[in-house]
């Protein structure tokens, strides 16, 4: 078995673990800081909306020896509008011009053909009206709202309302971070971006549901025992699915990284940039929120329940009693009492991350049960 597989098995069995829930305030602080940065970027720089939303024309030229800066200069001179020019992997140019109607686009196409030394028929022109872009934006918001509503209803039925609320907050967290990155880097927002956003929402939800399912199974009849608090069971659920979450995220990020850095960066494919950036950022944010945000939020909400509060008191009382017995033994053998206040509530929660193996007593227990 590989080291990662061995670690995954030990995490699943509860033999080792990391206290994600106990350090939840750190993760909340990191998420709040990132979210505020994203919101500030949106407020200051805004989104670079593509012509699909603003209206205009996209001209694609065949292979040419003219530089990008020269093509941009010629396009702006012919149209009178700002132009966005991108070199394609085939050697051609993709020129975006906003605010052009059909007649103006035809004149620009003719002027560009003369300036670039190519046939006018070889330049492909796609026109987009602003009303069509507005319809696309409205449908995207409608689809997002319906998706969120159905997600909350499903999770509330399949699990409970606390998990539905935590999953909704995690999804909003992922969308905000992804959109904020678009504002920071200045990438265009196109229908491809919308497709990528909806895709990452499904992936983030899948990763969250995996942890929630483990938590639901682990917390069944939790009030009938006095060994673990709800937060500790939640932490064990995160650890038991941690390697699985890492594996699925890495496997998903590798092809997306290929699309972003090779397809978009080297080959210059514009549509690949639009989809791959939203996927890359969203997948990473979704994996983070499933582990560090969604489940700790559920634990916070659940610990406010009177039954969970009573359970926590019983668990801590049992541990305090066990610690007191150990202190009396230490006092008898070592000649000095230990302070029972050393075992605080926070220490008790942080100390129990996973199961701990009990050491074998001297003699390995041999001879037990024998009758003389």
């Amino acid at each position: 078995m590989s080291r990662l597989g061995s670690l995954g098995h030990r995490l699943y069995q509860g033999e080792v673990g990391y206290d994600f829930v106990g350090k939840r305030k750190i993760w909340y602080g990191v998420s709040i800081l990132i979210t505020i940065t994203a919101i500030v970027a949106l407020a200051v720089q805004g989104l670079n909306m593509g012509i699909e939303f603003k209206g205009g024309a996209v001209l694609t030229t065949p292979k040419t020896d003219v530089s990008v800066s020269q093509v941009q200069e010629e396009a702006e001179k012919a149209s009178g509008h700002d132009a966005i020019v991108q070199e394609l992997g085939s050697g051609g140019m993709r020129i975006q011009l906003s605010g052009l109607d059909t007649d103006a686009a035809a004149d620009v196409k003719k002027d560009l053909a003369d300036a670039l030394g190519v046939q006018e028929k070889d330049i492909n022109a796609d026109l987009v009206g602003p009303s069509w872009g507005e319809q696309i934006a409205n449908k995207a918001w409608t689809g997002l709202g319906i998706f969120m509503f159905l997600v909350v209803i499903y999770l509330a039925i399949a699990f409970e309302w606390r998990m539905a609320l935590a999953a909704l907050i995690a999804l909003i967290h992922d969308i905000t971070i992804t959109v904020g990155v678009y504002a920071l880097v200045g990438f265009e927002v196109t229908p491809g971006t919308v497709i990528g956003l909806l895709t990452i929402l499904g992936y983030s939800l899948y990763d969250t549901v995996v942890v929630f399912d483990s938590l639901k199974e682990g917390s069944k009849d939790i009030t009938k025992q006095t060994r673990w608090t709800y937060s500790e069971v939640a932490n064990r659920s995160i650890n038991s699915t941690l390697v699985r979450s890492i594996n699925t995220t890495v496997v998903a990020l590798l092809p997306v990284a290929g699309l972003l850095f090779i397809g978009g960066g080297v080959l210059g494919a514009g549509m690949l940039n639009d989809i791959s950036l939203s996927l890359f950022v969203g997948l990473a944010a979704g994996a983070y929120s499933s582990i560090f945000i969604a489940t700790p939020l559920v634990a916070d909400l659940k610990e406010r329940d009177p039954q969970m509060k009573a359970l926590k008191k019983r668990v801590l009382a049992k541990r305090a009693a066990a610690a007191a017995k150990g202190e009396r033994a230490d006092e008898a053998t070592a000649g000095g009492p230990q302070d029972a206040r050393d075992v605080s509530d926070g220490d008790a929660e942080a100390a129990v991350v996973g199961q701990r193996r009990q050491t074998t007593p001297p003699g390995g227990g041999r001879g037990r049960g024998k009758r003389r």
Side-chain angles (χ1 to χ4, degrees):
M1 184 182 294
S2 64
R3 290 185 177 180
L4 185 60
S6 177
L7 176 61
H9 178 74
R10 296 177 66 194
L11 285 169
Y12 182 79
Q13 294 296 329
E15 298 171 5
V16 295
Y18 182 78
D19 194 7
F20 293 100
V21 177
K23 295 179 172 59
R24 57 189 177 276
K25 292 183 179 179
I26 298 177
W27 319 132
Y28 293 166
V30 172
S31 295
I32 291 173
L33 180 61
I34 296 175
T35 302
I36 291 176
T37 303
I39 293 174
V40 170
L42 285 171
V44 175
Q45 296 185 206
L47 292 173
N48 181 19
M49 306 301 290
I51 64 167
E52 292 86 356
F53 299 100
K54 295 186 299 184
V58 177
L59 305 177
T60 305
T61 71
K63 184 177 182 180
T64 177
D65 296 331
V66 183
S67 66
V68 173
S69 59
Q70 290 176 320
V71 173
Q72 182 177 2
E73 182 180 352
E74 293 293 340
E76 292 177 349
K77 183 188 299 183
S79 63
H81 297 276
D82 292 336
I84 300 175
V85 181
Q86 184 179 22
E87 185 176 3
L88 303 177
S90 60
M93 300 289 177
R94 184 174 183 266
I95 307 166
Q96 298 184 48
L97 297 166
S98 60
L100 291 184
D101 55 19
T102 303
D103 295 336
D107 295 337
V108 171
K109 182 178 178 180
K110 182 179 180 181
D111 294 342
L112 280 177
D114 295 338
L116 302 179
V118 298
Q119 296 292 326
E120 183 179 349
K121 63 180 181 178
D122 293 333
I123 299 179
N124 182 43
D126 295 323
L127 296 177
V128 179
S131 60
W132 184 85
E134 185 177 354
Q135 292 177 4
I136 292 294
N138 291 334
K139 289 181 179 180
W141 283 112
T142 302
L144 181 61
I146 294 174
F147 174 83
M148 293 288 195
F149 176 76
L150 293 178
V151 163
V152 171
I153 296 298
Y154 169 76
L155 291 180
I157 295 174
F159 298 98
E160 60 170 298
W161 69 267
R162 296 176 184 84
M163 292 185 178
L165 178 60
L168 179 62
I169 293 174
L171 289 177
I172 295 174
H173 167 272
D174 299 341
I175 294 176
T176 304
I177 291 178
T178 305
V179 175
V181 170
Y182 263 82
L184 286 173
V185 301
F187 270 36
E188 271 194 322
V189 177
T190 67
T193 305
V194 177
I195 294 172
L197 285 174
L198 294 177
T199 302
I200 64 170
L201 291 180
Y203 180 89
S204 175
L205 183 63
Y206 163 78
D207 216 20
T208 302
V209 167
V210 168
V211 184
F212 283 178
D213 186 65
S214 176
L215 176 56
K216 180 182 178 182
E217 186 68 23
S219 61
K220 186 181 299 183
D221 298 329
I222 188 175
T223 56
K224 297 180 180 179
Q225 53 83 48
T226 56
R227 189 178 184 186
W228 313 108
T229 66
Y230 189 90
S231 293
E232 291 163 0
V233 172
N235 195 71
R236 288 163 60 84
S237 299
I238 297 176
N239 281 279
S240 66
T241 58
L242 182 60
V243 172
R244 177 178 179 177
S245 298
I246 293 174
N247 286 338
T248 53
T249 302
V250 171
V251 169
L253 282 177
L254 287 177
V256 173
L259 287 175
L260 178 61
F261 299 110
I262 299 178
V266 178
L267 301 180
M271 184 60 71
L272 290 180
N273 278 337
D274 303 335
I275 298 177
S276 59
L277 179 63
S278 60
L279 286 176
F280 188 84
V281 176
L283 289 176
Y288 171 83
S289 65
S290 299
I291 298 172
F292 297 94
I293 303 299
T295 308
L297 272 176
V298 173
D300 269 339
L301 294 173
K302 195 71 174 181
E303 289 286 5
R304 299 179 181 181
D305 186 88
Q307 290 185 338
M308 297 301 110
K309 289 182 178 179
L311 172 63
K312 184 176 180 179
K313 289 182 179 179
R314 294 197 302 270
V315 171
L316 295 178
K318 182 178 178 180
R319 292 176 187 169
K325 292 180 181 179
E327 288 162 4
R328 283 195 295 270
D330 292 338
E331 182 178 354
T333 56
Q338 293 185 357
D339 192 351
R341 291 173 297 178
D342 291 343
V343 183
S344 63
D345 291 0
D347 294 335
E349 285 193 22
V352 185
V353 178
Q355 294 178 346
R356 295 293 180 262
R357 293 180 177 178
Q358 295 181 352
T359 57
T360 305
R366 290 175 294 180
R368 296 177 58 185
K370 293 184 179 181
R371 299 173 181 263
R372 293 184 181 269

